[in-house]
């Protein structure tokens, strides 16, 4: 079908300077007329023309409430602003690290590479109709927009008077893998829905020794538990741990992504990851069941983690130190040397 571009008059939004974690507000703020649209257009206006017109953008997130509606809005605005194609993870799901991997590693059938991404997440904050929503922009290197860009976005949100949107573009079925083609004033516009895990798993196989991990997980002496807290990490847990590494399904906890994170708080700490904490033998009451040797949890968008051992907790600083101390010998990606940690 052929779509038309509309210019919609608007007024500035109550600006909050977006940092590297983007703009975060309650859902009730984002669903106000023009609010999300103003931020998205302000972002397009802050980018150089070659990063928008004819470009390929990724649009996905942690699956929290309002994400599916936001994805449709951003697709229509991308088309109106001259973007050539949009890549969407199936069901709108991509972890923040996976978005980075897709930007840097994925190549389209026509040789296209992504120049940036809108990531829909409020990180480790709760989701639901009365909870948090967020949006941020990542650049062509896979990392968050630098301060020079976020400053421009912020200034644009304070002066914006109109935004562009292809209102007659139909909503895309983001639950089904495939490509939808449309025609607009500047030529063809494509939306591709792709498997959320494939590119990320491919990169993980380059970083880690999957064969060695598979041997560990097959040992009767080693047990583990992974808790996704009903966040986007659940979209990868089964594929990586069960299908690729041969772990038991019972090793996974809360690995079905939900818009409200199952009513919980997707922050991987001793307070909110209660089920994992109890299973690892750190609950208030003793369990007769022998805890697993290893436990881990991820936050809503899967870029923050918590590590546990049998009846003990590893602080985040210590877990990074342990990885750093063993990286060169244990992780193929760092075999030539560890450049830094964060």
């Amino acid at each position: 079908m052929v779509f038309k571009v509309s210019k919609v008059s608007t007024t500035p939004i109550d600006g909050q300077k977006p940092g590297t974690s983007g703009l975060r507000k309650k859902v009730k703020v984002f669903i106000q007329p023009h609010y999300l649209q103003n931020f998205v257009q302000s972002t397009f206006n802050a980018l150089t023309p070659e990063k928008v017109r004819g470009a390929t953008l990724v649009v996905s997130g942690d699956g929290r409430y309002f994400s599916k509606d936001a994805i449709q809005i951003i697709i229509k605005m991308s088309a109106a602003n001259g973007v050539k194609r949009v890549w969407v993870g199936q069901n709108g799901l991509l972890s923040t690290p996976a978005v980075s991997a897709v930007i840097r590693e994925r190549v389209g059938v026509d040789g296209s590479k992504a120049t940036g991404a809108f990531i829909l997440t409020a990180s480790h904050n709760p989701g639901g109709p009365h909870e948090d929503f967020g949006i941020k922009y990542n650049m062509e290197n896979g990392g968050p927009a630098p301060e020079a860009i976020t400053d421009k976005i912020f200034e644009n949100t304070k002066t914006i008077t109109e935004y562009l949107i292809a209102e007659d573009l139909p909503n895309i079925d983001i639950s089904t893998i495939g490509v939808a083609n449309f025609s607009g004033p500047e030529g063809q516009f494509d939306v591709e829905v792709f498997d959320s895990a494939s590119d990320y798993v491919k990169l993980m196989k380059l970083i880690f020794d999957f064969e060695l991990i598979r041997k560990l997980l097959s040992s009767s002496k080693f047990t583990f538990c992974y808790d996704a807290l009903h966040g986007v990490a659940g979209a990868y847990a089964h594929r990586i741990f069960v299908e690729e590494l041969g772990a038991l399904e019972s090793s996974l906890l809360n690995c079905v992504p939900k818009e409200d994170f199952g009513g919980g708080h997707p922050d991987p700490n001793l307070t909110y990851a209660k089920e994992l904490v109890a299973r690892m033998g750190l609950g208030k009451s003793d369990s007769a069941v022998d805890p697993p040797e290893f436990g881990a949890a991820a936050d809503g968008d899967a870029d923050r983690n918590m590590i546990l051992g049998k009846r003990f907790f590893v602080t985040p600083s210590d877990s990074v130190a342990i990885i750093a101390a063993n990286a060169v010998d244990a992780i193929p990606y760092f075999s030539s040397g560890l450049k830094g940690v964060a």
Side-chain angles (χ1 to χ4, degrees), residues 9 21 24 31 38 40-41 49 58 81 86 117 122 157 178 186 198 206 213 229 249 259 276 282-283 300 307:
S9 297
S21 294
R24 179 173 62 86
I31 63 176
N38 283 9
V40 173
Q41 188 64 57
V58 182
N81 277 275
V86 171
T157 64
E186 298 189 37
S198 294
L206 295 176
I213 299 172
L229 297 176
E249 189 86 43
E259 289 188 334
L276 177 63
L282 289 171
I307 302 298

Side-chain angles (χ1 to χ4, degrees), residues 42-330:
S42 293
T43 302
F44 282 136
N45 294 347
L47 300 170
T48 56
E50 63 269 19
K51 296 289 196 307
V52 181
R53 310 192 83 78
T56 298
L57 296 182
V58 182
V59 181
S60 288
D62 62 16
R64 66 179 55 237
Y65 185 85
F66 188 57
S67 291
K68 292 178 180 177
D69 294 323
I71 288 170
Q72 302 296 341
I73 291 170
I74 296 172
I75 288 173
K76 294 176 182 182
M77 292 188 68
S78 297
N81 277 275
V83 171
K84 187 173 183 179
R85 63 184 68 78
V86 171
W87 291 343
V88 181
Q90 189 174 21
N91 295 311
L93 297 174
L94 281 176
S95 72
T96 294
V99 170
S100 180
V102 168
I103 293 173
R104 291 184 292 114
E105 305 291 334
R106 192 171 198 268
V107 180
V109 291
D110 58 353
S112 56
K113 293 270 290 180
T115 59
F118 284 101
I119 308 178
L120 309 176
T121 177
S123 189
H124 53 280
N125 296 287
H130 306 292
E131 298 296 349
D132 294 339
F133 186 78
I135 180 171
K136 61 181 177 179
Y137 191 82
N138 274 26
M139 305 298 286
E140 69 274 9
N141 64 356
E147 191 172 7
I149 297 296
T150 57
D151 282 345
K152 287 182 180 179
I153 296 172
F154 179 50
E155 292 303 317
N156 290 344
T157 64
K158 297 190 292 184
T159 59
I160 189 170
T161 59
E162 65 180 20
Y163 61 83
L164 305 179
I165 188 168
E167 294 179 304
D168 58 347
L169 197 71
N171 284 349
I172 303 298
D173 177 8
I174 61 174
S175 67
T176 303
I177 292 173
V179 182
N181 309 116
F182 306 94
S183 297
E186 298 189 37
Q188 184 167 308
F189 172 70
D190 301 328
V191 181
E192 180 179 356
V193 179
F194 65 97
D195 182 83
S196 297
S198 294
D199 295 283
Y200 186 67
V201 172
K202 181 180 178 182
L203 181 60
M204 291 301 100
K205 286 183 174 181
L206 295 176
I207 296 175
F208 298 100
D209 187 335
F210 269 42
E211 281 302 317
L212 201 59
I213 299 172
R214 187 180 292 110
K215 289 179 181 178
L216 172 66
L217 299 189
S218 66
S219 170
S220 60
K221 297 180 181 179
F222 182 82
T223 51
F224 84 103
C225 180
Y226 183 79
D227 189 349
L229 297 176
H230 288 302
V232 73
Y236 306 90
H238 188 276
R239 175 76 69 86
I240 292 175
F241 291 125
V242 178
E243 295 182 22
E244 295 286 345
L245 298 174
L248 298 175
E249 189 86 43
S250 57
S251 301
L252 307 182
L253 187 64
N254 300 319
C255 282
V256 177
K258 295 185 177 182
E259 289 188 334
D260 65 348
F261 305 110
H265 194 138
D267 193 350
N269 57 42
L270 295 176
T271 300
Y272 297 120
K274 296 178 181 178
E275 287 185 74
L276 177 63
V277 168
R279 186 176 290 194
M280 296 303 299
L282 289 171
K284 293 182 179 179
S285 58
D286 292 332
S287 172
V289 179
D290 190 37
E293 299 295 326
F294 178 84
D299 72 336
D301 65 328
D303 64 356
R304 175 186 298 206
N305 63 59
M306 176 177 69
I307 302 298
L308 299 168
K310 180 184 292 189
R311 298 190 179 92
F312 72 90
F313 168 66
V314 183
T315 70
S317 296
D318 285 347
S319 66
V320 172
I322 292 167
I323 293 170
N326 294 279
V328 174
D329 293 330

